[in-house]
Amino acid sequence: MAKKRNMKYSGIGGQAVLEGIMMKNKEQYAVAVRKPDGEIEVEIEHYNSIVHGSKLLNIPFVRGIFQFIDSLILGMRSLNFSAGFYEEAEEKETAADKAFNRIFKDKADKVFSAIVMVFSVAIAIGIFMVLPYYVTSLFEEYVRSDSFMAIIEGVLRIAIFVGYVLSISLMKDIRRVYMYHGAEHKCINCIEKGRPLTVNNVMRSSKQHKRCGTSFMLFVMFVSVVLFFFIRVESPVYRVLVRIALIPVIAGISYEIIRLAGRSNNILVRIISAPGMWLQRLTTREPDESMVEVAIAAVEAVFDWKAYLYEAFGYEVDDSWLKDDETPEEDSDIH
């Protein structure tokens, strides 16, 4: 029987974009996109945190807040880059466009992206934080227990999130993004399992990963249920404000949980990671080999996986393994 290898943390993370994948390692990130002509375009950039050099990035429960903001910024940049290859024929510039470009000049694209990001976050807060409270408050005259009301609100919040994930998974364009999402996970799992990064090895790896953003968002939902259960105020206005004010705290706690999940495989970690892994069955799909090639290109642009395998697993990659897509005592974990 093949020997089962333990996962070892690599430090790389990524995100699916339009017909491509972003992979980040430390301060470097690469976006690989399959262009309409079939070629793979790779852009390598350097990204510093919004609090670069600050000790805040080393403080537990605080660093997660800035990591979350950084991921939003980096994600928007990566999406804009990939979308640039698939934009429709340039539309006629409107008067509003001209005024916007005249005001912000060469920073117009960055300002517009920032506005879109802030607007998106505001919509998310409204749907996942404020809406469940508002709907639950309609039953206050029928339910006298504050604890039970908090539980109802929490269940509703999780249900809305899962429903949202399920609904967008039915969209054709999103399904392709989810295939690239699967390719991203498979690449990271392949490396962290100690396998040479080849198309065949990646295809045999799992499309679910404990450090996934889907799992992070589900942790956010669960943590919010717990905090809102114990932190209560009487005024309806203050209740809404508290839910918004606690978002950084929720993000910080959730980050520490998922950070632990990515570095440990004990039974407790597997239990708390299980709901997120199940939900990833909706947000990841099996990619084809062409998508895996894009993912590999993104990884290799910022990560020396051969050096990592030698350091973490103690063996040098033989070129013959790359030809045959084999690894000594190999095992498959595809599911």
Side-chain angles (χ1 to χ4, degrees):
M1 181 181 291
K3 182 180 178 181
K4 198 78 174 175
R5 289 190 184 86
N6 291 324
M7 300 283 288
K8 294 189 178 181
Y9 176 71
S10 65
I12 59 171
Q15 173 187 315
V17 295
L18 184 62
E19 293 300 325
I21 289 174
M22 181 274 288
M23 287 288 187
K24 183 176 184 295
N25 178 37
K26 298 178 181 178
E27 285 79 33
Q28 264 198 326
Y29 73 95
V31 186
V33 179
R34 179 76 71 177
K35 299 190 295 184
D37 63 7
E39 295 295 317
I40 299 176
E41 179 82 12
V42 181
E43 180 184 66
I44 305 172
E45 294 287 348
H46 192 87
Y47 178 79
N48 287 327
S49 170
I50 58 172
V51 288
H52 177 66
S54 171
K55 293 182 179 180
L56 291 173
L57 291 175
N58 299 321
I59 303 176
F61 302 105
V62 173
R63 58 192 173 192
I65 302 169
F66 301 105
Q67 293 283 1
F68 178 64
I69 296 173
D70 286 337
S71 68
L72 290 177
I73 295 172
L74 190 54
M76 184 64 71
R77 287 187 185 179
S78 302
L79 282 170
N80 287 342
F81 174 76
S82 64
F85 295 101
Y86 289 88
E87 290 178 344
E88 299 294 334
E90 197 170 314
E91 298 180 1
K92 186 176 180 181
E93 191 176 42
T94 65
D97 293 331
K98 292 178 181 178
F100 192 84
N101 291 330
R102 186 167 56 252
I103 294 171
F104 297 104
K105 299 179 181 178
D106 57 334
K107 294 183 179 180
D109 288 341
K110 290 184 178 180
V111 172
F112 181 75
S113 294
I115 292 173
V116 171
M117 185 177 70
V118 171
F119 181 74
S120 300
V121 171
I123 292 295
I125 291 173
I127 293 175
F128 300 120
M129 292 296 172
V130 179
L131 180 61
Y133 163 71
Y134 175 75
V135 174
T136 305
S137 67
L138 299 177
F139 301 94
E140 280 185 331
E141 61 179 295
Y142 307 106
V143 181
R144 298 301 181 184
S145 171
D146 289 341
S147 297
F148 190 55
M149 287 287 289
I151 293 172
I152 293 175
E153 181 186 343
V155 171
L156 181 60
R157 178 173 293 107
I158 294 172
I160 291 174
F161 175 67
V162 173
Y164 166 79
V165 170
L166 178 60
S167 62
I168 66 172
S169 70
L170 301 176
M171 299 169 61
K172 182 179 178 180
D173 291 341
I174 295 298
R175 284 200 296 268
R176 283 195 63 81
V177 173
Y178 283 175
M179 290 172 75
Y180 276 104
H181 191 194
E184 173 221 329
H185 284 185
K186 280 174 172 284
C187 269
I188 297 175
N189 279 322
C190 178
I191 294 168
E192 295 187 339
K193 200 71 174 176
R195 301 170 182 150
L197 193 63
T198 64
V199 171
N200 190 44
N201 281 341
V202 171
M203 291 295 289
R204 295 162 64 188
S205 299
S206 172
K207 64 182 177 65
Q208 292 148 279
H209 196 283
K210 288 186 292 185
R211 286 190 285 117
C212 175
T214 303
S215 295
F216 172 78
M217 289 306 300
L218 194 57
F219 281 136
V220 166
M221 299 300 135
F222 283 127
V223 171
S224 70
V225 172
V226 176
L227 289 186
F228 297 159
F229 183 86
F230 290 104
I231 300 176
R232 304 175 189 175
V233 292
E234 292 299 321
S235 168
V237 174
Y238 286 158
R239 288 176 188 173
V240 173
L241 293 178
V242 162
R243 278 151 179 74
I244 296 174
L246 284 177
I247 289 175
V249 178
I250 294 169
I253 295 172
S254 301
Y255 173 80
E256 295 304 322
I257 297 173
I258 204 164
R259 188 174 186 271
L260 173 64
R263 290 166 169 77
S264 176
N265 197 40
N266 62 50
I267 183 64
L268 178 60
V269 168
R270 291 201 297 272
I271 290 173
I272 64 175
S273 298
M277 299 289 274
W278 294 333
L279 191 58
Q280 286 177 47
R281 294 179 182 275
L282 294 177
T283 64
T284 60
R285 292 178 178 267
E286 284 295 330
D288 58 36
E289 292 189 354
S290 69
M291 294 174 173
V292 167
E293 290 171 354
V294 175
I296 291 175
V299 172
E300 293 186 328
V302 294
F303 187 74
D304 187 346
W305 59 266
K306 293 182 182 179
Y308 165 77
L309 292 185
Y310 180 75
E311 180 180 342
F313 295 91
Y315 71 86
E316 294 185 11
V317 176
D318 190 301
D319 288 341
S320 64
W321 299 347
L322 302 183
K323 292 179 182 178
D324 299 330
D325 279 350
E326 294 179 354
T327 309
E329 299 178 317
E330 184 57 79
D331 59 297
S332 177
D333 60 357
I334 185 169
H335 57 277

